[in-house]
Amino acid sequence: MLSSDEMLAQWKLRRGFAPLRTDCEITRSDGIDLDALLRLEMRDWYLNLLDTAPIELLAPENIAGDIALMPQADNSATVILPENCRRLVGFKLKEWKRPAKIITDPHSHEARMQSNPYCRGGCENPIVVLHGNRLHVYSLSPLTSHVIDFATAIMEPADGGYLMDEAALKTISNI
């Protein structure tokens, strides 16, 4: 985990703004706040990294203890994901034989099929549909208690830090 200042130092080094020349002195009374601009640029890069990078470059967390199933009348359930959840990468109930397939387009044909109890995936091939910060869970058996085995997600650190594998720093482009 890198703090914002540590990430800024890495960003400056990799973008060619460091090390600074210290063998001379120049005084200016105008100019831009380079640190502020670089912080905005690196935050945009990081959020894009969380949304699109391969999982190996990130640090997925199990958020099963932070979420709860809200059962619906049609043997489905809804889960509200935390606000700092950038991407859900795995979800499984204990009763399921394997992790669910996560569909991110709620208007796709496969996602719409889940609203029909005869077409939805069962415990052998479970399917969940992600719509914004809501996860719609199908393939529920009415006779079982539903316990979340795991819910793996890419989370944006709440403290504003930068949590990733060091290899992700190689994706910072040079000027």
Side-chain angles (χ1 to χ4, degrees):
M1 170 80 111
L2 296 175
S3 71
S4 183
D5 290 336
E6 292 169 332
M7 184 62 187
L8 182 61
Q10 279 288 323
W11 194 263
K12 283 181 172 179
L13 181 64
R14 292 171 185 274
R15 298 297 303 265
F17 292 108
L20 294 175
R21 295 253 341 241
T22 57
D23 60 337
C24 62
E25 187 175 319
I26 298 175
T27 304
R28 288 188 64 165
S29 60
D30 66 336
I32 59 171
D33 184 353
L34 185 60
D35 284 359
L37 287 174
L38 291 177
R39 282 183 197 280
L40 287 172
E41 187 178 294
M42 72 184 193
R43 194 72 189 163
D44 289 343
W45 167 84
Y46 181 63
L47 295 178
N48 183 60
L49 184 81
L50 293 180
D51 293 341
T52 62
I55 303 304
E56 307 82 56
L57 296 180
L58 305 172
E61 298 177 34
N62 187 359
I63 60 169
D66 301 332
I67 58 176
L69 286 171
M70 296 180 288
Q72 307 296 317
D74 64 348
N75 284 338
S76 70
T78 303
V79 174
I80 308 253
L81 298 173
E83 283 186 30
N84 61 334
C85 178
R86 298 295 298 190
R87 180 169 35 151
L88 185 70
V89 294
F91 186 86
K92 182 181 177 296
L93 296 180
K94 285 201 184 280
E95 67 191 67
W96 291 348
K97 306 288 187 226
R98 68 190 67 182
K101 176 180 181 181
I102 301 170
I103 299 176
T104 56
D105 179 8
H107 305 294
S108 70
H109 177 69
E110 191 172 19
R112 288 184 318 209
M113 284 178 55
Q114 302 313 304
S115 63
N116 183 330
Y118 300 107
C119 296
R120 62 178 62 153
C123 64
E124 293 289 334
N125 294 302
I127 294 177
V128 295
V129 179
L130 189 59
H131 186 66
N133 73 332
R134 291 183 182 272
L135 182 67
H136 301 283
V137 181
Y138 299 96
S139 313
L140 298 180
S141 169
L143 303 175
T144 342
S145 66
H146 309 297
V147 177
I148 300 173
D149 191 15
F150 66 83
T152 311
I154 304 300
M155 305 295 285
E156 180 180 348
D159 63 358
Y162 295 82
L163 184 60
M164 68 195 123
D165 188 280
E166 193 173 322
L169 294 173
K170 292 178 186 173
T171 66
I172 297 172
S173 64
N174 293 334
I175 293 179

